[in-house]
C-alpha cells in the first residue's frame, strides 16, 4: 500500500513538472520579438543596449543557443569597453550557463564564480537570482544535489525580498524537481503545489501551464 502511495505521488509530481513547461515556447517567442524590436530602435553603444542584448540572450538560450553565445559575447565585450560592471557580470553568467549546457563544467564553475563576485560587488540582486538559478542547474548536472538545493533556497529568499514571485515560482518548481530525483516525493509535491498556487495568484501562465 505504501509503495503504491509513493508511486502515485511520484506520478503526480512528474505531471506537475510537465505542466509547468507547456506554455514556455509561446511566451518566449513574444518576449524575444519585443526585445529584438527594442534593439533595432536603440542602436547606441551604451548600458541600455547591453541590457537588451543580455535579456535577448536569456530568451534564446534554449531555442537558439548559438545566437545566445553570440549575444552574450557581444554584451560582455560591450560592457567591458563601457566599464559597465553590472552588464559584464550578467553576460558572464549567461556564458557560464552555456558552458554548463555544453558539459564544460570547469569553465562553467570559473565563469559563475567570476560573475558572482561582480554582481555581489554592484549589489545586483536580480542578476544574482538568475545566476543562482543557472548555477543550480550546473550543480544538478554535476551530481551535487545538496548544493543545487541550497542555490534554489537562496533564490527563494532573494526573490521574496524583491517581491519577485515569478522567480519564487521557478525556484520552488525546481526544488520540487530535485526532491523528486532524490526520492523525497512528499517534499516534491509540497513545493510543486506551492509553486502552482503562487503562479495562479499572479496569473503567471508559464508557471501554471
Amino acid at each position: 500500500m505504501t509503495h503504491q502511495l509513493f508511486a502515485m505521488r511520484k506520478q503526480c509530481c512528474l505531471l506537475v513538472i510537465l505542466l509547468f513547461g507547456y506554455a514556455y515556447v509561446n511566451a518566449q517567442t513574444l518576449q524575444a520579438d519585443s526585445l529584438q524590436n527594442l534593439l533595432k530602435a536603440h542602436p547606441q553603444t551604451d548600458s541600455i543596449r547591453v541590457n537588451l542584448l543580455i535579456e535577448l540572450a536569456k530568451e534564446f538560450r534554449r531555442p537558439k543557443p548559438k545566437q545566445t553565445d553570440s549575444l552574450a559575447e557581444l554584451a560582455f565585450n560591450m560592457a567591458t569597453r563601457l566599464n559597465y560592471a553590472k552588464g559584464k557580470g550578467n553576460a558572464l553568467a549567461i556564458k557560464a550557463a552555456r558552458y554548463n549546457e555544453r558539459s564544460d563544467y570547469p569553465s562553467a564553475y570559473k565563469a559563475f564564480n567570476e560573475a558572482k563576485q561582480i554582481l555581489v560587488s554592484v549589489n545586483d540582486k536580480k542578476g544574482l537570482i538568475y545566476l543562482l538559478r543557472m548555477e543550480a542547474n550546473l550543480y544538478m548536472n554535476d551530481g551535487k544535489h545538496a548544493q543545487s538545493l541550497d542555490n534554489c533556497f537562496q533564490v527563494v529568499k532573494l526573490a521574496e525580498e524583491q517581491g519577485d514571485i515569478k522567480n519564487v515560482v521557478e525556484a520552488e518548481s525546481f526544488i520540487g524537481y530535485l526532491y523528486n530525483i532524490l526520492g523525497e516525493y512528499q517534499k516534491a509535491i509540497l513545493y510543486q503545489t506551492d509553486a502552482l498556487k503562487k503562479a495562479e495568484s499572479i496569473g503567471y501562465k508559464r508557471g501554471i501551464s
Side-chain angles (χ1 to χ4, degrees), residues 72-182:
E73 187 67 25
L74 181 60
F76 179 81
N77 291 334
M78 190 179 295
T80 301
R81 291 198 302 273
L82 293 168
N83 197 27
Y84 178 38
K86 178 181 173 180
K88 184 177 178 180
N90 279 285
L92 195 54
I94 297 170
K95 287 164 68 73
R98 287 290 300 127
Y99 285 133
N100 171 45
E101 288 162 355
R102 295 196 293 271
S103 299
D104 184 355
Y105 298 160
S107 295
Y109 281 117
K110 183 175 183 293
F112 274 130
N113 185 55
E114 292 177 6
K116 191 179 299 182
Q117 290 181 37
I118 295 171
L119 295 176
V120 168
S121 72
V122 297
N123 195 32
D124 182 9
K125 293 186 177 180
K126 179 183 175 182
L128 281 170
I129 286 170
Y130 179 82
L131 182 150
L132 289 166
R133 282 183 52 208
M134 295 300 101
E135 191 180 43
N137 290 330
L138 170 61
Y139 284 134
M140 181 190 69
N141 291 342
D142 201 18
K144 299 178 179 179
H145 297 116
Q147 291 96 321
S148 186
L149 279 169
D150 182 64
N151 267 42
C152 290
F153 289 129
Q154 289 184 61
V155 170
V156 171
K157 183 176 183 296
L158 280 173
E160 286 179 341
E161 290 174 355
Q162 299 298 303
D164 182 357
I165 304 302
K166 289 182 180 180
N167 269 305
V168 173
V169 169
E170 298 285 357
E172 288 194 338
S173 175
F174 196 65
I175 290 169
Y177 177 70
L178 285 167
Y179 275 133
N180 185 67
I181 291 174
L182 296 170

Side-chain angles (χ1 to χ4, degrees), residues 52-72:
L52 289 171
L53 289 168
I54 287 168
E55 293 305 314
L56 185 59
K58 290 178 182 178
E59 292 299 319
F60 279 165
R61 187 174 60 83
R62 291 179 180 175
K64 300 178 180 180
K66 289 185 178 180
Q67 287 194 38
T68 284
D69 292 338
S70 298
L71 289 164

